């Protein structure tokens, strides 16, 4: 069983920045693709970005391109989501997910077996 823990959420003003981290208990975490998803109250969970197990490729939804960056440090078993120029529309609970899957299907919630508990991000206007 792979355990994932998100951290770094909080309250920030419009235009501010936050860095979220996803830490894994599994030593072979470097073999997993990792996705970031978010869910606002009353809305479906949506894909935000993903990174391959090697860190060689990333994917993002259009609304966060140029503002968010996914990266990983396999030596520390962590993946981060750097969020800049935050907007109120970014307010949601953010989740990381991991699995041995190709990045081409990492935009689907059903593609992932392992999920963290989520961390709240609130952007005030």
């Amino acid at each position: 069983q792979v355990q994932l823990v998100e951290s770094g959420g909080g309250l920030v003003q419009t235009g501010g920045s936050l860095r979220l981290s996803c830490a894994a208990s599994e030593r072979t975490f470097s073999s997993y693709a990792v996705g970031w998803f978010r869910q606002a109250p009353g809305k479906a969970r949506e894909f935000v970005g993903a990174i391959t197990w090697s860190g060689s490729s990333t994917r993002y939804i259009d609304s966060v391109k140029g503002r968010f960056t996914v990266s990983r440090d396999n030596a520390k078993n962590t993946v981060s989501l750097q969020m800049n120029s935050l907007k109120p529309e970014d307010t949601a609970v953010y989740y990381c997910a991991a699995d041995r899957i190709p990045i081409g299907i990492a935009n689907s919630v059903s593609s992932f077996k392992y999920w963290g508990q989520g961390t709240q991000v609130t952007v005030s206007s």
Side-chain angles (χ1 to χ4, degrees):
Q1 179 75 18
V2 176
Q3 293 181 312
L4 305 175
V5 180
E6 301 96 336
S7 62
L11 175 65
V12 65
Q13 293 183 333
T14 298
S17 298
L18 284 173
R19 181 179 181 272
L20 307 184
S21 294
C22 177
S25 62
E26 175 59 55
R27 292 180 63 187
T28 60
F29 188 54
S30 61
S31 299
Y32 291 76
V34 174
W36 284 95
F37 295 79
R38 64 188 181 187
Q39 187 167 25
K43 297 186 179 298
R45 191 168 299 186
E46 69 171 351
F47 172 76
V48 176
I51 190 167
T52 58
W53 63 268
S54 66
S56 61
S57 296
T58 54
R59 301 286 188 274
Y60 305 94
I61 55 170
D62 287 342
S63 62
V64 308
K65 287 181 179 178
R67 299 190 298 121
F68 291 11
T69 303
V70 181
S71 61
R72 69 189 305 163
D73 185 343
N74 289 338
K76 297 180 179 179
N77 283 350
T78 59
V79 171
S80 66
L81 177 66
Q82 178 66 46
M83 304 185 294
N84 299 325
S85 301
L86 283 162
K87 306 174 181 179
E89 308 92 271
D90 297 317
T91 295
V93 176
Y94 282 71
Y95 301 87
C96 65
D99 211 340
R100 294 179 181 270
I101 60 170
I103 197 168
I105 62 172
N107 63 330
S108 297
V109 170
S110 60
S111 296
F112 291 93
K113 292 181 181 178
Y114 307 108
W115 292 82
Q117 296 301 304
T119 185
Q120 177 70 49
V121 172
T122 303
V123 184
S124 65
S125 59

